[in-house]
Amino acid sequence: MSQLVVEIHVPLTPAPTVTDDDYPYPWIEEVEDHLAELEEAGDLEVHDDGEEIDDEYVFFITGGAEERLLRGASRIATRDGVPRGTYAVVSSDDAEDIGTGRRVDLPL
């Protein structure tokens, strides 16, 4: 039986405060840390490592009802430093491709 997965798609937009010598996407590590905290609290599970796909960075969460996972995704989208234009895709762990599913604009 397949498991519900919510993909969080974040535009690969450099943080406005970085200089030419800085890593342009410090929000990736901050989101990963926040997801780890949510996982430790039992709010959700991190399904897989995040990955860069074209001009987006995608995080994967699972372990709950769709509404709860979308609330978690919405919290990510509204974090300081996370680029605007973040959205979720409701999918499953047996989907053939990333981004296959129903798109949900964030925040809710």
Side-chain angles (χ1 to χ4, degrees):
M1 185 165 128
S2 66
Q3 184 176 27
L4 176 71
V5 174
V6 170
E7 304 169 5
I8 306 168
H9 292 250
V10 184
L12 272 173
T13 304
T17 58
V18 298
T19 66
D20 289 340
D21 296 330
D22 294 332
Y23 178 63
Y25 313 114
W27 50 264
I28 291 174
E29 186 173 318
E30 292 169 13
V31 169
E32 288 173 341
D33 290 347
H34 185 68
L35 288 174
E37 291 170 7
L38 293 174
E39 186 171 41
E40 286 178 22
D43 293 342
L44 52 80
E45 295 173 26
V46 175
H47 178 70
D48 203 352
D49 291 335
E51 61 183 272
E52 185 177 329
I53 300 174
D54 298 324
D55 58 351
E56 298 177 328
Y57 197 87
V58 184
F59 302 93
F60 306 90
I61 57 175
T62 191
E66 179 178 326
E67 181 179 322
R68 186 168 78 185
L69 295 175
L70 287 174
R71 280 196 314 265
S74 191
R75 286 193 300 250
I76 296 300
T78 58
R79 289 186 59 81
D80 287 341
V82 173
R84 297 183 132 211
T86 298
Y87 64 95
V89 173
V90 178
S91 189
S92 69
D93 62 351
D94 61 358
E96 290 186 29
D97 294 314
I98 295 171
T100 303
R102 181 172 49 86
R103 181 182 167 133
V104 178
D105 291 328
L106 298 175
L108 298 177

